[in-house]
Amino acid sequence: MDNIPLVSVVLTTKNEEKNIDRFCESVTNQTYSNIELIVVDNNSSDKTQELARKYTDKVYTKGPERSAQRNYAVEVSSGDYVLILDADMELSETVVEECVSTVRENVNIKAIVIPEKTTGEGFWGKCKVLERDFYYLEGDPDIEAARFFDKSVFLEMGGYDESISGGGEDWDLPERVYEKYPVRHRIQAFIIHHEGYIKLRDLLKKKFYYAKTAPKYVKKQKVSIIGPKTLFFLRPVFYRHWRLWLNDPVVSVGTWFMLFAELVVGGLGFLLGS
């Protein structure tokens, strides 16, 4: 292939020494060769930066939130395309190749969704895996967000909104892209998302923190607070693939309890942040 475009893989980190080797190895093992890895770390106190430098000399320090880290990474990148990822992820080996092939075959595609397979340990880890299995099966535009972008379009849109955090920024940027470039695409290659050992308390704490910043995203994108993006029981994928609930009834009950608890805690956080 002539004129193989450069892809900038962007990783934002904060004390990720347990994950970064696995992540970087998956980037190194891609079937697509023309990749630069850019790591922007938020003042880690562990060996994250030291380990990252085994794989790239493009390691920077920036904060205070991952949106600012991501935007900075794209600013210093040299790629034609950018792939935005988290340290607890692992790429299947053809992700970058499939993304590049897709945008070269259809120049109207400016942002790509990459499916995620989730792994988790412990009972609540199994519950989170079950929830995410529904999204993986067919894709859910209310949940999944694009991670691969044409860099020129990323810059045209101003990158991630640094006033939004907690997940809303992940949806906000693609939605702004789709307003001008409406062709959506989801590839077959996937990301493995390693959640590790999950405690319900930690899940709810994270949900509460994220929900406090959600009003900014909801107001900006005019998102209905009564819809599938905010209310889990309105997501059609849970009903179209109802047979999944029968595989392990105990985990299924736990998953509904977990989602309900997240809804309650998230609602409280949303009210406090309004």
Side-chain angles (χ1 to χ4, degrees):
M1 184 186 294
D2 296 329
N3 300 319
I4 300 176
L6 177 65
V7 176
S8 300
V9 175
V10 169
L11 174 64
T12 57
T13 57
K14 175 75 172 181
N15 294 330
E16 293 287 357
E17 65 179 8
K18 293 182 179 180
N19 291 315
I20 195 165
D21 276 320
R22 179 182 59 216
F23 172 89
C24 291
E25 287 292 342
S26 75
V27 175
T28 301
N29 293 332
Q30 288 295 293
T31 55
Y32 189 87
S33 60
N34 200 16
I35 296 173
E36 68 170 0
L37 174 60
I38 299 176
V39 178
V40 180
D41 182 64
N42 189 359
N43 298 290
S44 289
S45 58
D46 64 5
K47 296 181 180 180
T48 295
Q49 291 198 25
E50 177 184 338
L51 294 172
R53 288 192 175 91
K54 295 192 305 181
Y55 303 92
T56 179
D57 59 356
K58 297 179 180 180
V59 179
Y60 306 92
T61 300
K62 180 75 174 179
E65 293 280 358
R66 65 182 180 182
S67 289
Q69 293 173 265
R70 290 169 172 178
N71 289 342
Y72 179 78
V74 175
E75 286 177 15
V76 300
S77 71
S78 301
D80 303 285
Y81 303 99
V82 292
L83 176 56
I84 313 295
L85 299 166
D86 299 324
D88 58 358
M89 294 176 171
E90 178 183 2
L91 300 176
S92 59
E93 62 182 10
T94 61
V95 166
V96 177
E97 179 181 5
E98 190 171 341
C99 285
V100 174
S101 296
T102 297
V103 294
R104 298 196 85 185
E105 290 170 5
N106 188 340
V107 296
N108 294 316
I109 296 174
K110 304 299 183 181
I112 294 177
V113 170
I114 305 168
E116 294 183 20
K117 290 184 176 180
T118 300
T119 69
E121 300 172 16
F123 178 74
W124 299 111
K126 292 179 181 179
C127 293
K128 184 56 67 175
V129 168
L130 177 58
E131 176 200 354
R132 299 277 177 77
D133 281 347
F134 285 92
Y135 311 143
Y136 177 79
L137 273 175
E138 67 176 61
D140 188 334
D142 290 310
I143 300 300
E144 293 184 318
R147 291 187 174 274
F148 185 92
F149 300 93
D150 182 308
K151 180 182 173 180
S152 64
V153 173
F154 182 102
L155 295 174
E156 177 188 354
M157 297 298 155
Y160 289 95
D161 187 335
E162 295 180 19
S163 71
I164 302 174
S165 60
E169 76 277 21
D170 286 336
W171 292 319
D172 172 67
L173 174 57
E175 287 167 7
R176 285 186 279 123
V177 172
Y178 294 140
E179 286 178 7
K180 185 171 183 179
Y181 305 98
V183 180
R184 299 176 182 239
H185 189 80
R186 184 181 193 254
I187 63 171
Q188 294 296 313
F190 58 88
I191 293 168
I192 302 172
H193 193 165
H194 297 276
E195 292 277 6
Y197 186 85
I198 294 178
K199 296 180 180 179
L200 183 60
R201 177 187 61 196
D202 294 336
L203 273 178
L204 299 182
K205 183 178 179 180
K206 183 177 180 181
K207 177 65 69 173
F208 181 78
Y209 172 74
Y210 284 176
K212 287 195 296 183
T213 65
K216 294 180 181 178
Y217 163 73
V218 168
K219 182 178 180 180
K220 179 179 180 181
Q221 289 294 339
K222 298 180 174 61
V223 175
S224 172
I225 61 172
I226 303 177
K229 191 179 287 291
T230 54
L231 302 177
F232 72 91
F233 54 83
L234 295 180
R235 295 170 188 167
V237 293
F238 288 156
Y239 307 103
R240 282 200 289 265
H241 302 284
W242 58 270
R243 288 182 178 85
L244 272 183
W245 297 114
L246 304 180
N247 291 340
D248 190 328
V250 174
V251 171
S252 295
V253 171
T255 302
W256 280 90
F257 177 85
M258 175 192 73
L259 290 169
F260 180 76
E262 287 184 332
L263 177 63
V264 172
V265 170
L268 292 173
F270 185 89
L271 289 173
L272 287 175
S274 296

